[in-house]
Amino acid sequence: MPESIADRQVMATSLRTDACGQLRREDVGRTVRLGGWVHRSRDLGGLVFIDLRDRTGLLQLAFGPGWSPSDALATAAAVGVESVILGEGEVVAREADRVNPDMLTGEIEVRVRSIRIVGPAATPALPVARARGEKAPSEELRLRHRYLDLRRPELQQNLVLRHRLMQATRRYLCDHGYLELETPILTKPTPEGARDYLVPSRVHPGEFYALPQSPQIYKQLFMICGFDRYFQIARCFRDEDLRADRQPEFTQIDIEASFIEREDIATLAEGLIGALWREAGHEIPAQFERMTYADAMEYYGCDRPDLRYGLRVADYSSVFRTLDFAVTTSALSAGARVRGIIVPGGGAWSRKQVDELEALAKSAGVGGLLRLRKTDGAYDGPLAKYLTDEARSAFALNDGDLALFVAAADRVANPALDRVRQECARRLDLVDENAQRFLWVMDFPMFEEDPATGALAAVHHPFTAPHPDDMREFPDAPARWRALAYDVVLNGTELGGGSIRTSDPAVQSRMFALLGIGDVAEQERRFGFLLEGLRAGAPPHGGIAFGFDRIAMLLSHATSLRDVIAFPKTTAARSLFEGAPVAVPEADLAELNIAVRLNDGRKG
Ligand code: ASP
């Protein structure tokens, strides 16, 4: 991806006339001064070639007896890879048979007259220039030696794209009247559903700040203060058990606006995403598809369905009710449903392959996966001999189809069906890698009910407004309320989410009570600064936040968030390069009034 530096002169400094990757055929004849890293070098005995690298690209330097003094030739022959050199010479056209079409500078080279090693490099711990097909070093090694890893053109391009996406975000939002406003990093806990990172206060012994899980409350306060439209490219911190695609500190595009409804946020978000995708060279639909949360769960078993392929889940309970099949009959009478997926072509899978799918479903919590296959007009599977004509026509299997059913409560069946669906699509190669299926998932439930205790937890966060129709219709059944919350999903990945907020302090206080914070004094202690603000006159407001790292990852075709974050943490939440976290000297802890006591009984 070319960097957009309109004026090449911008890169000129006191030490160089040009950046390496920007020289072209029209520069032939010019004397240039350059600086960069020795990417590769080849000594052909009397003739030395160096590929010089800087962030703009690679350029071939040629050293030869006809034009390089002997000391320059000797220095070039001896300089180690990754050393930093300054050189001066003349741009010449390469012979036709030596043109390298893979290099932007491949039509030229610089015949060097003088060279100076200004930053000699120790032997690199990992190769920056990799030969075609050469195996990548382990990620652990790459992260440990990040100063070398980040020199690789691939990672440089990812970070350049990241920069451009940030600038495109700023441009788009500024053009739409949004103010870029900062919020504190040392703050009070913001409930986004994760654990807080705590920072001890030295001046207030025994007291702690929390790092923000998001700027949520502050951005609402900006609306209460009348700033009308806010955005921030905000760093957020969540202390979670890490999964492969999470980082404990991450960046989000955080947005809030006043006097708006859901449609306003939808239009803004579609425009912003369109601008970001355009920045990376893709045109996308101006409007995204829409689906309710209820439909997403019903037909895909998850709240971020991948619409690039079918394999929709259907409810076959009414068919199974007519069958004399003990397993499903007992599940149905216990209140479960029988739902399933019909997989065209799945009939060709071996028993072992279907067993593997069942193992996947079981790992998601269901007791089993009921299979039914139709080959050459005949049915096969435990259910086969119980089928009736009505059931056969209801399933409507074609030859070669495999039907997979789950008999369980939705809460358990959904994740199992979701996994099975994804795995079937992968096996059958149904995922169109070029498709971009953007989707709004709307009308999330307000609360999630703990099946054992009945306790309610916020699905989005406690500041989300419940759907007013549901509050009116089921005033005493909050577990049935939908929220004015929405997510943006692309191909099965959540890009962002947000909600319309509660702007009535009485409703907000009731939300806290439903979430188990009934005590008014406790509400004031934890959220007084928001409640006070709401009581001071709050406009209707709402917003959204997008995972910026994930967007940068998708648009740079990286496979890991760590490839679009300069200094990321490992999945074990460590930074291998700087070496964090670390134990700190006893004296530093004493100053903070902290004594370390490890939960496993060891002394810190
Ligand atoms: N604060 C939410 C989050 O970080 C986003 C929002 O509601 O705007 O996920």
Side-chain angles (χ1 to χ4, degrees):
M1 182 132 346
E3 226 175 311
S4 56
I5 296 170
D7 184 359
R8 286 168 40 177
Q9 291 303 314
V10 168
M11 299 303 276
T13 66
S14 322
L15 294 181
R16 68 174 178 207
T17 54
D18 297 83
C20 299
Q22 296 183 324
L23 290 176
R24 294 288 179 275
R25 203 179 175 82
E26 56 270 23
D27 294 297
V28 167
R30 281 183 57 214
T31 293
V32 292
R33 283 185 294 138
L34 302 160
W37 285 258
V38 176
H39 191 63
R40 258 187 220 105
S41 76
R42 295 176 299 288
D43 184 346
L44 306 183
L47 210 54
V48 177
F49 293 102
I50 288 180
D51 284 345
L52 192 65
R53 184 192 71 235
D54 67 17
R55 124 183 164 199
T56 61
L58 292 171
L59 174 67
Q60 176 160 292
L61 305 185
F63 299 79
W67 60 91
S68 311
S70 57
D71 60 328
L73 201 50
T75 307
V79 64
V81 285
E82 292 312 312
S83 298
V84 179
I85 61 173
L86 294 176
E88 183 179 316
E90 189 189 335
V91 181
V92 297
R94 293 200 206 180
E95 310 277 329
D97 59 339
R98 290 188 35 241
V99 164
N100 181 348
D102 295 337
M103 265 167 105
L104 288 171
T105 58
E107 288 186 296
I108 53 162
E109 63 187 17
V110 172
R111 295 198 163 171
V112 180
R113 287 189 291 259
S114 76
I115 170 175
R116 194 149 63 89
I117 302 176
V118 290
T123 306
L126 51 90
V128 174
R130 274 190 222 149
R132 221 180 278 269
E134 184 179 335
K135 221 175 119 240
S138 73
E139 190 174 37
E140 195 177 330
L141 201 66
R142 287 179 41 208
L143 291 175
R144 166 69 189 81
H145 301 284
R146 195 63 164 171
Y147 56 95
L148 289 171
D149 196 33
L150 280 178
R151 290 182 182 184
R152 285 168 46 227
E154 296 89 325
L155 287 195
Q156 296 229 331
Q157 274 170 25
N158 291 356
L159 292 188
V160 168
L161 178 62
R162 185 182 171 109
H163 152 83
R164 289 175 41 198
L165 295 171
M166 263 188 190
Q167 306 320 311
T169 302
R170 295 200 154 100
R171 265 194 311 276
Y172 183 86
L173 291 170
C174 291
D175 288 351
H176 287 78
Y178 284 75
L179 302 176
E180 182 168 8
L181 302 171
E182 288 154 290
T183 53
I185 293 292
L186 294 178
T187 172
K188 205 172 172 176
T190 343
E192 292 278 1
R195 248 178 243 113
D196 289 309
Y197 278 100
L198 296 175
V199 181
S201 160
R202 181 183 53 80
V203 284
H204 302 290
E207 296 181 26
F208 294 81
Y209 301 96
L211 301 183
Q213 289 189 37
S214 83
Q216 184 60 39
I217 297 182
Y218 292 105
K219 67 175 173 173
Q220 291 190 234
L221 288 166
F222 279 142
M223 299 306 105
I224 290 168
C225 300
F227 286 97
D228 203 274
R229 290 171 190 207
Y230 141 97
F231 85 97
Q232 183 177 198
I233 300 182
R235 204 59 80 77
C236 305
F237 305 85
R238 298 184 190 176
D239 185 4
E240 296 179 284
D241 292 329
L242 295 180
R243 282 188 257 130
D245 61 345
R246 290 262 175 98
Q247 283 283 312
E249 71 177 286
F250 59 92
T251 305
Q252 71 183 27
I253 306 173
D254 199 43
I255 297 174
E256 196 78 4
S258 297
F259 302 107
I260 46 103
E261 291 189 328
R262 274 192 297 188
E263 288 308 314
D264 302 291
I265 298 286
T267 308
L268 176 84
E270 286 163 350
L272 172 62
I273 294 290
L276 296 182
W277 258 249
R278 203 165 305 121
E279 184 67 32
H282 310 281
E283 278 305 324
I284 61 169
Q287 282 176 353
F288 303 167
E289 296 170 69
R290 291 178 181 217
M291 192 180 289
T292 62
Y293 169 89
D295 281 353
M297 298 310 279
E298 182 65 22
Y299 301 119
Y300 301 93
C302 79
D303 59 7
R304 45 186 169 82
D306 188 341
L307 300 185
R308 288 175 298 175
Y309 51 90
L311 302 180
R312 277 163 54 115
V313 175
D315 182 358
Y316 296 97
S317 305
S318 58
V319 186
F320 275 88
R321 258 188 216 106
T322 66
L323 300 181
D324 187 18
F325 186 63
V327 181
T328 48
T329 315
S330 61
L332 285 165
S333 54
R337 294 199 287 162
V338 185
R339 290 155 72 212
I341 301 172
I342 294 179
V343 190
W349 290 337
S350 67
R351 167 181 275 272
K352 183 167 160 280
Q353 283 175 306
V354 185
D355 286 348
E356 281 163 9
L357 280 177
E358 177 159 33
L360 198 65
K362 283 183 171 171
S363 70
V366 295
L369 200 57
L370 180 61
R371 49 191 97 176
L372 179 68
R373 183 164 74 155
K374 186 174 173 190
T375 347
D376 298 330
Y379 290 84
D380 161 31
L383 194 62
K385 60 174 190 273
Y386 299 90
L387 289 178
T388 57
D389 284 345
E390 292 76 44
R392 274 188 282 267
S393 71
F395 294 145
L397 297 193
N398 292 316
D399 265 337
D401 286 359
L402 171 71
L404 297 165
F405 304 102
V406 168
D410 291 351
R411 196 171 40 79
V412 191
N414 282 331
L417 288 164
D418 173 33
R419 278 199 211 176
V420 168
R421 177 176 174 267
Q422 290 192 41
E423 176 57 18
C424 291
R426 196 191 59 78
R427 283 188 189 180
L428 293 169
D429 208 10
L430 297 181
V431 186
D432 175 358
E433 296 296 343
N434 294 319
Q436 308 256 23
R437 296 291 295 268
F438 289 91
L439 172 72
W440 283 107
V441 178
M442 302 260 183
D443 293 341
F444 275 77
M446 183 69 213
F447 301 107
E448 199 170 29
E449 199 171 11
D450 185 314
T453 63
L456 299 180
V459 168
H460 192 51
H461 51 56
F463 317 110
T464 293
H467 203 299
D469 296 351
D470 296 351
M471 284 180 86
R472 222 173 295 120
E473 201 166 334
F474 323 107
D476 302 318
R480 298 179 65 177
W481 297 350
R482 286 165 302 166
L484 297 179
Y486 32 78
D487 276 0
V488 179
V489 173
L490 169 63
N491 299 344
T493 298
E494 182 192 327
L495 297 182
S499 61
I500 300 300
R501 325 299 182 188
T502 295
S503 49
D504 176 341
V507 176
Q508 185 60 69
S509 179
R510 174 145 189 240
M511 288 301 131
F512 289 140
L514 289 168
L515 291 166
I517 319 169
D519 182 43
V520 176
E522 173 73 0
Q523 288 184 8
E524 292 295 333
R525 190 184 66 75
R526 288 177 61 183
F527 302 110
F529 70 126
L530 174 68
L531 290 170
E532 265 177 47
L534 291 176
R535 282 183 220 117
H541 63 287
I544 193 162
F546 290 100
F548 184 72
D549 305 304
R550 176 142 302 131
I551 289 176
M553 177 179 100
L554 290 172
L555 289 177
S556 53
H557 304 288
T559 47
S560 157
L561 287 175
R562 295 182 291 277
D563 283 349
V564 294
I565 297 175
F567 300 106
K569 307 279 184 289
T570 62
T571 40
R574 281 196 179 280
S575 3
L576 299 181
F577 174 41
E578 320 84 298
V582 281
V584 297
E586 196 62 45
D588 294 358
L589 290 175
E591 207 175 13
L592 294 168
N593 296 283
I594 287 181
V596 174
R597 183 185 54 98
L598 299 179
N599 284 342
D600 63 5
R602 282 179 297 139
K603 217 174 146 311

